[in-house]
Amino acid sequence: MKFGIILGSTREGRVSPQVGEYIKKIADGHSVHEFEIVDVKDYDLPFLGTGTPNEAWNKKIDELDGYVFVVQEYNHGMSASLKNALDSAREEWFNKAAGIVSYGSGGGIRAAEQLRMVLGEQKVADVRTNPAFNLFTDFENFSTFNPGAHMEAGVSDMLTELIEWSTAFDTIREKVIA
Ligand SMILES: Cc1cc2nc3c(=O)[nH]c(=O)nc-3n(C[C@H](O)[C@H](O)[C@H](O)COP(=O)(O)O)c2cc1C
């Protein structure tokens, strides 16, 4: 199976690429499955309804078997760029599983929980384990990602849950297509 590690933030100076690379490194050693970084910024998505939709985004979401969302907390919610990216596809998300990795001054938990609410509507099943990184303890100067080794176990648990559920959803997707 092929999974996308979706970077939700697009602002100058963002830290999401560092978090995504950390997840990818663990994921690459975790199983035989393939993980790739999917950066929302690369797709230059217009705000929904305000420009030409980027079909490459829908194609990418469609071809992936599951997702790891890297979600950051902005004003007690997820970033607008991630919400727009979620809104910019529909059936392409359906019947997939996802893991959530969050960060913020309190671990980004509010953004992660908000994301779960939205994923329910997009027929994406989010697994329980949510590695949550704290800006005060897992980053240096709020900008250099340097989590303790103890955080790897949670990432590994999340990946195991994601692969288990994605394997089950594979069967459902085959039935839906048939
Ligand atoms: C507009 C804005 C609002 C923010 N609001 C929150 C917040 O409510 N709670 C929180 O924990 N962190 C908040 N932060 C801090 C971000 O979580 C932190 O800057 C993080 O690095 C953002 O992710 P990024 O670097 O990938 O863009 C906010 C940051 C920005 C830019």
Side-chain angles (χ1 to χ4, degrees), residues 7-18 39-41 72-74 79-82 103 135 139 141-144:
L7 308 186
S9 58
T10 54
R11 73 177 182 94
E12 280 303 316
R14 68 198 173 135
V15 300
S16 55
Q18 295 178 59
D39 190 346
V40 167
K41 191 167 188 165
Q72 43 293 132
E73 187 166 308
Y74 286 8
S79 59
S81 48
L82 178 57
Y103 55 89
L135 285 173
F139 293 80
N141 297 321
F142 307 107
S143 56
T144 303

Side-chain angles (χ1 to χ4, degrees), residues 95-154:
N95 298 319
K96 312 262 180 83
I100 299 174
V101 173
S102 60
Y103 55 89
S105 57
I109 292 299
R110 287 167 290 220
E113 292 301 313
Q114 189 190 45
L115 175 58
R116 288 187 192 280
M117 197 170 66
V118 174
L119 291 178
E121 176 57 16
Q122 292 286 47
K123 294 171 82 168
V124 175
D126 42 294
V127 303
R128 182 182 67 176
T129 302
N130 163 204
F133 297 95
N134 192 298
L135 285 173
F136 291 94
T137 54
D138 295 311
F139 293 80
E140 291 161 16
N141 297 321
F142 307 107
S143 56
T144 303
F145 189 47
N146 189 18
H150 65 284
M151 295 302 287
E152 288 182 25

